């Protein structure tokens, strides 16, 4: 059978395995990222090994532009794409409940827009139930309505992601987790070490042979922006329930000191990632999922921007319009999180912990 025909009959996992075995013989890209040292640990690769390697990859694309076996060579190596497809297939396999898997990835932009508009309309209508005595944001939407909606909307997606991580850990043959593995994994995730492309100048995501750290910086802005926003919400919850200090909070309060820089980083980082996605070559990623990934970064950016707009509108009648939009965006983000690119953060961290156990 001709090589081309044989290749088109391979499953996503088999195609990734074929390319990884060639890379294991070649080893030219050994210093690029965590994937290649992990490949060299073994001679044969189970399905679980492929899942682990796929989730270690950052899709920086450095190995593709360095490779002498890309198309038109008969090996047809395109490791960033093969690993991206194996990775997204693993997320769909681990997603719970499975009926939602792939939904956002395939119709992301339309779904995100519909959810934001739908939820915003519900929150806007919910203002009719506001209590007479409410203050600040609670003059527009009662505290109990917000808690009643957001508590399950936060906990259920977390449960879905936890079940997915358990399935991942079983498939990759993970051992009991020691503190040292966690520390190493968190340290590498915090630095986004592998987005450096293994060289000081960064990776090739944006413009082929041009090495750049731009993607790493934007990714860090999104990650730290999200964490700051999360910490802001957490601090506001503590102030409300422990110190009986309900919102809104002043400029020099902890929720604002964390939330404003977080919102700025999330908004700008998300926009930057969106621009980079338009510049990167689609065929070096899971091209069928490009729209879903774009919808995810835009949803993140919009959530940050609507949070900043809400802060700017505080004290004015505009809050009645901006608050439902922001809450609609946050709710859309939470509820879709187990089925969007958001899960890559969790699986990537799990892959780094597993890699720490192995190397
Ligand atoms: S991507 Fe190409 S150059 Fe790099 S290790 Fe694999 S086969 Fe070798
Ligand atoms: S795309 Fe980047 S992160 Fe992925 S295997 Fe290649 S060099 Fe490593």
């Amino acid at each position: 059978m001709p090589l081309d025909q044989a290749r088109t009959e391979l499953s996503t996992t088999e195609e990734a395995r074929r390319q990884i075995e060639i890379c294991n013989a070649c080893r030219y890209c050994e210093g690029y990222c965590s994937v290649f040292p992990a490949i060299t640990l073994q001679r044969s690769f189970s399905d679980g090994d492929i899942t682990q390697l796929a989730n270690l990859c950052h899709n920086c694309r450095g190995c593709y532009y360095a490779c002498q076996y890309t198309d038109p060579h008969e090996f047809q190596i395109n490791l960033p794409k093969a690993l991206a497809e194996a990775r997204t297939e693993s997320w769909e396999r681990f997603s719970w409940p499975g009926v939602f898997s792939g939904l956002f990835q395939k119709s992301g932009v339309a779904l995100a827009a519909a959810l934001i508009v739908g939820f915003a309309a519900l929150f806007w209508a919910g203002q009719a139930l506001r209590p007479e005595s409410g203050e600040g944001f609670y003059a527009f939407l009662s505290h109990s309505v917000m808690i009643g909606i957001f508590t399950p909307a936060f906990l259920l997606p977390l449960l879905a992601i936890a079940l997915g991580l358990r399935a991942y850990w079983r498939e990759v043959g993970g051992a009991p987790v020691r503190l040292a593995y966690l520390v190493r994994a968190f340290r590498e995730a915090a630095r986004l070490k592998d987005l450096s492309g293994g060289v000081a100048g960064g990776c090739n995501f944006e413009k082929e042979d041009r090495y750049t750290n731009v993607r790493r910086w934007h990714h860090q802005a999104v990650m730290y922006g999200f964490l700051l926003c999360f910490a802001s919400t957490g601090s506001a919850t503590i102030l409300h329930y422990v110190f009986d200090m309900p919102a809104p909070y002043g400029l020099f309060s902890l929720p604002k000191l964390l939330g404003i820089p977080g919102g700025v980083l999330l908004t700008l980082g998300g926009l930057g990632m969106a621009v980079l996605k338009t510049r990167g070559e689609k065929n070096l990623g899971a091209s069928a999922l490009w729209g879903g990934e774009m919808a995810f970064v835009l949803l993140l950016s919009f959530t940050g921007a609507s949070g900043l707009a809400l802060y700017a509108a505080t004290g004015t009648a505009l809050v009645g319009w901006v608050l439902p939009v922001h809450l609609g965006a946050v709710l859309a983000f939470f509820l879709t999180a187990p089925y969007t690119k958001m899960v890559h953060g969790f699986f990537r961290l799990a892959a780094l912990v597993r890699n720490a156990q192995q190397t």
Side-chain angles (χ1 to χ4, degrees):
M1 185 186 295
L3 199 59
D4 277 351
Q5 188 188 338
R7 204 162 34 238
T8 55
E9 290 176 5
L10 296 179
S11 69
T12 303
T13 303
E14 287 166 345
E15 173 59 14
R17 183 182 290 116
R18 180 189 74 82
Q19 297 197 30
I20 283 169
E21 284 173 351
I22 293 172
C23 289
N24 202 14
C26 167
R27 301 192 175 187
Y28 178 77
C29 299
E30 228 165 15
Y32 274 42
C33 65
S34 301
V35 173
F36 293 97
I39 287 176
T40 60
L41 293 177
Q42 42 207 113
R43 290 188 177 177
S44 61
F45 301 88
S46 67
D47 288 0
D49 295 330
I50 301 298
T51 300
Q52 163 66 9
L53 292 168
N55 280 280
L56 263 187
C57 171
H58 256 312
N59 198 241
C60 80
R61 303 169 175 204
C63 61
Y64 177 84
Y65 291 114
C67 184
Q68 59 272 42
Y69 301 125
T70 57
D71 188 39
H73 191 281
E74 65 173 335
F75 286 174
Q76 299 267 304
I77 293 292
N78 185 343
L79 194 61
K81 182 181 182 66
L83 293 183
E85 290 182 340
R87 186 165 58 244
T88 45
E89 191 184 81
S90 75
W91 299 341
E92 292 187 6
R93 203 167 55 248
F94 298 137
S95 76
W96 180 88
V99 67
F100 294 135
S101 80
L103 196 66
F104 192 91
Q105 299 288 9
K106 286 169 189 127
S107 328
V109 176
L111 193 62
L115 286 175
I116 292 173
V117 171
F119 289 142
L122 281 178
F123 282 118
W124 185 80
Q127 293 181 48
L129 304 174
R130 66 177 180 260
E132 295 293 323
S133 56
E135 286 183 37
F137 298 152
Y138 307 132
F140 294 87
L141 206 61
S142 82
H143 183 254
S144 54
V145 168
M146 285 202 213
I147 294 299
I149 292 173
F150 279 96
T151 304
F154 176 67
L155 293 179
L156 285 176
L158 268 190
L159 172 68
I161 290 170
L163 291 173
L165 283 174
R166 187 178 65 166
Y168 177 88
W169 202 245
R170 282 183 181 156
E171 183 166 305
V172 303
V177 176
R178 296 213 321 251
L179 183 62
Y181 303 145
L182 282 176
V183 170
R184 180 176 146 190
F186 273 100
R187 193 181 295 151
E188 290 181 357
R191 290 166 46 218
L192 292 176
K193 171 177 153 273
D194 289 329
L195 272 181
S196 70
V199 290
C203 70
N204 308 85
F205 185 91
E206 187 193 357
K207 283 189 179 166
E208 301 196 359
D209 287 341
R210 178 183 158 220
Y211 288 97
T212 166
N213 272 307
V214 172
R215 183 165 178 246
R216 191 183 187 191
W217 295 334
H218 285 307
H219 199 301
Q220 276 175 327
V222 170
M223 183 173 75
Y224 286 110
F226 176 79
L227 292 174
L228 283 170
C229 289
F230 193 75
S232 165
T233 307
S235 67
T237 305
I238 292 171
L239 286 178
H240 185 102
Y241 286 107
V242 179
F243 297 98
D244 195 21
M245 294 169 63
Y249 302 103
L251 180 60
F252 295 105
S253 64
L254 201 52
K256 287 291 181 291
L257 290 174
L258 295 168
I260 292 175
V264 171
L265 286 173
L266 193 58
T267 305
L268 297 181
L271 284 177
M273 294 293 283
V275 170
L276 283 180
K277 279 196 84 59
T278 64
R279 291 185 187 165
E281 207 178 309
K282 276 190 189 174
N283 191 41
L284 301 188
S287 41
L289 306 179
W290 191 91
E293 293 184 357
M294 179 61 97
F296 171 68
V297 288
L298 291 177
L299 176 59
L300 272 177
S301 188
F302 183 77
T303 305
S306 60
L308 292 174
L310 181 59
Y311 177 63
T314 301
T316 73
L318 282 176
V319 171
W321 294 96
V322 182
L323 182 63
V325 172
H326 179 59
L327 294 181
V330 174
L331 193 54
F333 170 76
F334 277 156
L335 291 180
T336 58
Y339 318 104
T340 64
K341 184 91 187 267
M342 183 65 195
V343 292
H344 88 284
F346 296 93
F347 287 112
R348 167 91 182 140
L349 195 56
L352 287 172
V353 175
R354 180 67 184 134
N355 191 50
Q357 291 179 336
Q358 293 177 304
T359 58

